[in-house]
Structure formats: structure tokens, C-alpha cells
Amino acid sequence: MKKFLWVSVLAVGLGLAWRAWHDTTSSDAGDPKLMFDRLWVDHLPRSERDSVQVFVAVTEQPVGVFENRARWKGAWELFRYERRSDGQMDLLFPHSRDRERAGYRASRCHQDGFDFCLELAGATRGTQRYYSRKGWEIGQAKTPAALLDQVGHLEQLVDEAAGLKSEDAQ
């Protein structure tokens, strides 16, 4: 009887430990600290001509940017957003006046040298999967121009992480 009791206690303890660990890792998906105020890319550029999809959404002013860029060429579109409580956000693109709803799921991950993963569903711009690293946080940009300036600075970090050196540094 004692043996059965100890095995039962051990099984319950292991079950609770697994559940606590599992709940900790899965709760990151709903943590806005991971999704917002961070630079996201679909991959590190492999060359100066390799296009990278970039996504940013900041909380100070609810604005963000979708960008498709290489070292020498790029295009971007700013958007305003309203965050919803269900892991979605409503996007407004002021230039085209397009509106759409996108779902997001950000989590910690360890994939290809990245620390964070983002799945973005329902957006017609950008891509569905992005990655980020520690240190790629966005400061409190108060205007769209300040956001673009900060993104430009962080994109230099992306190029450096990919081994691309600016001509100014050569």
C-alpha cells in the first residue's frame, strides 16, 4: 500500500511539474510584450540583394509598418491598429484606406538563431511567419517618422547579424 501511495504521489508531482512548465511556455503566446515594440523579420538577408520582410507594431502610438527591403531597395507601408482582446488586431492603412483584421501569436522559440517567433494570419501585407532576437526591441517612437528612423537603425543590426557590412564601415 505504501508503494502505491508513493507512486501515486510521484505521478501527481510529475504531472503538476509538466503542467506548470507547459503553462509557462504557452502563456508567452498571449504576452503583448513579445509581439509589440519589437523588430520582426522573416529571415536574415543572405546577400545585399536578398529581400527581407519586416514587421513592427509599437504601442506608444498604435502604429506599425510592413516593409519589404533589401540593402539597396525597399518599400514600406505604415498602418494604424487597434488591439483586440482575442489575439487579433484591426489594421487601417491610411494611404489606401484598406482595413483588415489580423490574428497574431508570438512565442519564445529557438530557431535559426532567433529567440522569438511570430505567426501573423489574415494580413494581406508581409508574410505569415516572422522572427526576432533579444536586443531588437523598439524604443518608444512617438511619431511615424521616429518609428521609421528606429526601424532603419535596427535593420542595420539585422544586416550586421547576417554578416553584411555597410560600405561606410569598409
Side-chain angles (χ1 to χ4, degrees):
M1 184 70 164
K2 277 187 174 180
K3 193 174 191 178
F4 175 74
L5 182 61
W6 280 109
V7 170
S8 297
V9 169
L10 181 63
V12 169
L14 288 174
L16 290 174
W18 178 83
R19 185 175 178 187
W21 177 82
H22 180 69
D23 287 347
T24 300
T25 58
S26 65
S27 68
D28 289 340
D31 186 355
K33 293 177 197 165
L34 294 181
M35 159 68 176
F36 297 95
D37 300 320
R38 173 174 301 285
L39 176 76
W40 296 93
V41 298
D42 68 335
H43 69 281
L44 290 177
R46 294 176 278 282
S47 71
E48 291 183 332
R49 301 178 87 185
D50 186 21
S51 289
V52 175
Q53 297 289 327
V54 177
F55 173 80
V56 173
V58 295
T59 55
E60 177 70 22
Q61 293 280 325
V63 297
V65 64
F66 282 99
E67 183 176 8
N68 181 350
R69 69 170 293 270
R71 161 102 20 120
W72 303 106
K73 183 179 179 179
W76 51 266
E77 186 170 6
L78 291 169
F79 62 88
R80 293 186 179 122
Y81 71 89
E82 185 175 324
R83 199 164 50 180
R84 299 168 46 95
S85 63
D86 58 357
Q88 296 191 2
M89 58 185 177
D90 293 324
L91 306 175
L92 168 65
F93 297 89
H95 181 75
S96 64
R97 296 194 175 130
D98 290 346
R99 293 179 182 271
E100 47 192 55
R101 181 166 291 161
Y104 60 88
R105 178 178 170 88
S107 61
R108 296 181 190 281
C109 71
H110 300 288
Q111 187 171 340
D112 299 328
F114 291 102
D115 301 308
F116 308 102
C117 295
L118 171 65
E119 295 174 31
L120 194 60
T124 58
R125 280 98 168 148
T127 188
Q128 293 181 352
R129 187 125 171 113
Y130 293 93
Y131 305 93
S132 188
R133 288 184 172 172
K134 293 175 185 167
W136 287 7
E137 296 83 11
I138 299 287
Q140 295 301 313
K142 298 196 184 292
T143 65
L147 170 62
L148 290 175
D149 185 53
Q150 178 127 24
V151 168
H153 172 71
L154 287 169
E155 287 173 344
Q156 290 175 349
L157 295 176
V158 170
D159 286 345
E160 290 171 12
L164 302 176
K165 300 196 187 301
S166 69
E167 289 186 352
D168 296 336
Q170 294 178 351

